[in-house]
Amino acid sequence: MKLLSEEQITEFRTFIIQHDFFYVAGHKEPDGDCICSCLVLGLLLKSTGKAYQLLSAGPFKRPEIHQYEKSFSTSMQFLTEEERRRTGLIIADCSEYARLGDIDGDTKNLDTFIIDHHKTAACPEGASCLIDPSAPATCSLVQMLYEGITGKVSKEAAEILFFGLSTDTGFFRFLTSDSAEVFHAAARLVDAGADPRTTYDLITSGKPYTTRKLIGIMLDRAERYLNGRLIVTYEKIEDTQKWGVEGRDSDSLYQLLLSVKGVEAVVFLRQETETSCTGGFRSRDTVDVSEVAAKFGGGGHKNASGMSVEGKIDTLVPAIVKEFARLM
């Protein structure tokens, strides 16, 4: 992870100074990194005396982030045209307005600052951007901005940042040998009051019983391709109807399948409607799943990416396997 330069911190500080009110938004179907980044950006704005509103289209499907849902709204606070001219929009953990989802209000034509760490992120025209794929989580970038502007994070901010960092790194499982700065930053959060054991329990406990039933179905359905190097599994609409939208624990599923000897990548597809699917891609080491996700309109990181695409599982699986065959 690269450290932020003084110029990058100054640019964000100036953005805050130049506006009176802020909308802070993350992508739809948020994860822990997205939600925690937004929450701490709100705390940072509050520490500088600025007013703000946290926005999220949801849904908050992941059990570990349910506790934060009440802090977010799906509707933008009404502002006059004059007030909008003094308003800033901060987007965390994504770089596309479309990925904000169905938020009631106009997010366009606002001064915008984007903070993201996805490899496939691109800065929209007219926006200011801090995009760094070397960061393991957007929370890492937010921490450096917070520290650069205030000097040290508060206990509340440290606990939230550590939570977000832990979710996006698989509680540090996904980090590599060049991650010393990440651990230095995590140590500062612990020093400020974050509790690793409490955080781990918040992330891993409280899963609905249905998640375990659905994982069993997904494991039974899993098929190997490309001489066993790729595993693909899927969830049907009737599975969702029977076990509910909270019946998914894809992180545990990926972990189980990637632990299989010889497996380099895993794909999980979910039939959301009769004509559309979402997909998750995970890999070990060298396989860049973001390249495959990008072929289907998605994106993300080298070892963790996703997509939302028109189509059905039966036709998507061979198309996805074909794209992996080009890489593996």
Side-chain angles (χ1 to χ4, degrees):
M1 178 178 72
K2 295 184 294 187
L3 297 178
L4 295 186
S5 67
E6 186 58 42
E7 289 76 13
Q8 289 172 310
I9 295 171
T10 298
E11 182 182 10
F12 187 63
R13 182 192 289 113
T14 302
F15 185 80
I16 293 176
I17 292 171
Q18 290 176 339
H19 299 88
D20 298 333
F21 182 82
F22 296 85
Y23 295 114
V24 182
H27 56 77
K28 61 184 178 181
E29 295 195 23
D31 56 9
D33 184 32
C34 174
I35 289 303
C36 291
S37 294
C38 290
L39 286 165
V40 175
L41 285 167
L43 292 177
L44 174 57
L45 292 169
K46 183 179 179 180
S47 74
T48 63
K50 300 291 185 174
Y52 66 93
Q53 182 187 22
L54 300 179
L55 299 171
S56 177
F60 284 63
K61 293 181 179 180
R62 299 169 183 261
E64 65 270 20
I65 62 172
H66 283 172
Q67 60 182 313
Y68 300 125
E69 184 172 5
K70 62 183 180 294
S71 298
F72 291 78
S73 174
T74 59
S75 299
M76 297 172 69
Q77 177 178 324
F78 174 78
L79 299 175
T80 66
E81 284 303 314
E82 178 60 29
E83 289 171 331
R84 280 179 65 90
R85 282 193 285 271
R86 301 194 304 271
T87 295
L89 170 64
I90 303 175
I91 299 177
D93 205 38
C94 79
S95 62
E96 302 169 31
Y97 291 98
R99 286 201 66 212
L100 298 182
D102 295 326
I103 292 175
D104 184 14
D106 183 12
T107 58
K108 302 292 179 63
N109 302 316
L110 288 169
D111 288 342
T112 302
F113 200 106
I114 288 172
I115 306 170
D116 195 9
H117 75 126
H118 291 99
K119 180 182 176 182
T120 52
C123 189
E125 183 178 355
S128 299
C129 295
L130 172 55
I131 299 174
D132 184 2
S134 76
T138 299
C139 274
S140 296
L141 299 173
V142 173
Q143 178 183 351
M144 287 188 282
L145 289 172
Y146 197 116
E147 291 172 334
I149 292 172
T150 69
K152 182 180 179 180
V153 297
S154 65
K155 182 176 185 295
E156 181 182 9
E159 291 172 338
I160 298 171
L161 285 168
F162 193 84
F163 184 97
L165 174 63
S166 297
T167 58
D168 237 33
T169 62
F171 216 85
F172 306 100
R173 296 194 320 272
F174 307 146
L175 298 181
T176 57
S177 59
D178 60 352
S179 303
E181 288 297 341
V182 182
F183 285 99
H184 290 318
R188 295 196 299 274
L189 296 177
V190 173
D191 184 58
D195 186 332
R197 181 171 182 174
T198 299
T199 302
Y200 184 80
D201 286 343
L202 286 171
I203 293 172
T204 59
S205 62
K207 306 291 187 185
Y209 171 74
T210 52
T211 65
R212 275 48 206 155
K213 299 290 288 187
L214 192 53
I215 284 176
I217 295 172
M218 300 298 100
L219 291 174
D220 184 60
R221 219 172 258 164
E223 295 289 345
R224 292 190 291 181
Y225 297 86
L226 306 179
N227 297 318
R229 292 178 293 164
L230 173 69
I231 291 182
V232 180
T233 190
Y234 55 90
E235 177 182 333
K236 300 178 179 179
I237 292 178
E238 47 264 42
D239 299 324
T240 308
Q241 292 171 340
K242 181 174 181 178
W243 301 110
V245 295
E246 294 185 0
R248 182 172 122 194
D249 186 6
S250 52
D251 290 339
S252 295
L253 179 66
Y254 293 132
Q255 188 176 352
L256 286 167
L257 293 177
L258 282 173
S259 68
V260 175
K261 183 178 181 180
V263 171
E264 298 175 25
V266 170
V267 176
F268 169 64
L269 295 177
R270 186 182 194 186
Q271 192 77 51
E272 299 286 354
T273 70
E274 292 292 341
T275 59
S276 66
C277 287
T278 55
F281 303 81
R282 297 294 185 274
S283 68
R284 300 173 57 86
D285 303 325
T286 59
V287 179
D288 188 347
V289 293
S290 70
E291 293 188 21
V292 178
K295 294 288 186 179
F296 297 89
H301 310 292
K302 176 182 177 181
N303 300 122
S305 292
M307 69 174 189
S308 181
V309 66
E310 293 298 309
K312 294 190 176 183
I313 289 171
D314 290 346
T315 54
L316 282 171
V317 169
I320 291 170
V321 172
K322 183 178 179 180
E323 291 299 330
F324 271 101
R326 301 179 193 273
L327 297 178
M328 300 169 64

